Amino acid sequence: MRYIFLSAALFAGGNAYAACNDNLLTIKEWSVNVKADEAEVAVTLASSLKKPARMIDASVIFSDALGQRIGQIPADFDEKLAIGATYTTGGSFAGTKLDRAAKLDRHDVNVTACLRGVVYEDGTKEEFK
């Protein structure tokens, strides 16, 4: 599993979220488990892309029921992704507020995918700015 230490910069502001498409990747399942001082996160996403892709630049954003950002993790994917396919991303994250997602009632946690760019199998690119 990857060990990533995220800084507060990932959680500040809305710029990263403002420049993305939140309709082409859908959250199918997610979990956050706290072990010691790390949050172990797993998120399964489904693609609604119209063409197969070979590279995705994306993040998964966690927020509470009041819209307060809890954190985000990378959801990049550098393998072939067929139309309608799913993939799982995650890892262990220390120094974040993601442990809050494990403590809150599951209905009070909103999880969304932010797709910033994609390279399709045919070589064309699409970026969301």
Side-chain angles (χ1 to χ4, degrees):
M1 228 181 244
R2 306 182 285 198
Y3 289 91
I4 300 174
F5 296 90
L6 299 176
S7 69
L10 285 176
F11 307 109
N15 292 343
Y17 188 72
C20 67
N21 180 306
D22 58 1
N23 297 316
L24 294 176
L25 293 176
T26 305
I27 307 298
K28 290 302 204 182
E29 185 58 46
W30 64 272
S31 66
V32 177
N33 297 302
V34 179
K35 292 189 177 179
D37 62 346
E38 296 180 342
E40 291 186 7
V41 181
V43 180
T44 301
L45 300 107
S47 167
S48 295
L49 297 169
K50 302 294 183 209
K51 300 190 284 187
R54 66 179 187 217
M55 185 184 305
I56 290 175
D57 175 18
S59 297
V60 174
I61 300 168
F62 294 80
S63 58
D64 67 21
L66 296 173
Q68 181 70 29
R69 185 175 290 200
I70 296 171
Q72 82 181 42
I73 65 165
D76 301 334
F77 195 72
D78 293 332
E79 298 175 28
K80 185 175 180 177
L81 187 64
I83 296 171
T86 62
Y87 72 99
T88 301
T89 190
S92 294
F93 301 89
T96 69
K97 299 187 294 183
L98 286 168
D99 59 335
R100 186 167 175 242
K103 295 174 187 172
L104 291 173
D105 184 293
R106 192 165 176 87
H107 294 97
D108 291 333
V109 179
N110 298 313
V111 185
T112 57
C114 172
L115 178 63
R116 289 178 295 278
V118 58
V119 177
Y120 295 104
E121 274 294 308
D122 64 9
T124 59
K125 287 192 310 186
E126 189 171 11
E127 294 180 284
F128 306 98
K129 295 182 179 189

